[in-house]
Amino acid sequence: MIERERERQIRLHALEVLCERLTTIGRFGKAISAGLAAVNAEPLRESAHRAVIKAHLAEGNAAEALRQYRCYAQLLQAELQLEPSSHMKQLLRAISLQ
């Protein structure tokens, strides 16, 4: 069981890193696909949602970034009665400044 969890965590981290690297080189569609694969595997994982939001912002799609943020915030509230972290809220501020 510990080994399965380790492999799951490695996969999630790899998808997030792939999303970030693809974003950096301007391959936004593939970046978003990789990020959404991580989100799908673990919907409450904030770092995966942040990677997707950053890819949307880098592509110039503020509306998509905001939609992703809102979906995550609603899910987090419904499931855990929590709010997104300050890191995530900082991304929202970046959206509102555009």
Side-chain angles (χ1 to χ4, degrees):
M1 188 147 174
I2 292 171
E3 184 61 24
R4 272 187 275 153
E5 178 59 19
R6 186 183 75 78
E7 289 176 11
R8 188 180 78 82
Q9 288 294 322
I10 289 170
R11 179 177 180 267
L12 291 169
H13 282 281
L15 286 167
E16 290 172 9
V17 168
L18 180 60
C19 179
E20 292 168 4
R21 288 184 180 170
L22 288 167
T23 296
T24 299
I25 63 171
R27 307 236 7 229
F28 303 116
K30 292 196 179 287
I32 291 166
S33 291
L36 289 175
V39 166
N40 186 53
E42 186 53 64
L44 294 171
R45 188 177 175 92
E46 185 171 302
S47 55
H49 286 274
R50 279 197 315 262
V52 173
I53 290 169
K54 288 176 186 177
H56 283 306
L57 288 173
E59 190 176 25
N61 290 323
E64 285 295 320
L66 184 57
R67 186 194 63 73
Q68 186 71 34
Y69 174 86
R70 287 180 177 158
C71 287
Y72 173 69
Q74 289 171 356
L75 178 64
L76 193 61
Q77 181 62 41
E79 294 290 324
L80 301 174
Q81 291 76 48
L82 294 174
E83 292 185 18
S85 73
S86 59
H87 289 96
M88 184 67 94
K89 289 179 182 178
Q90 183 65 33
L91 284 177
L92 180 62
R93 282 190 282 281
I95 294 168
S96 66
L97 294 175
Q98 292 184 0

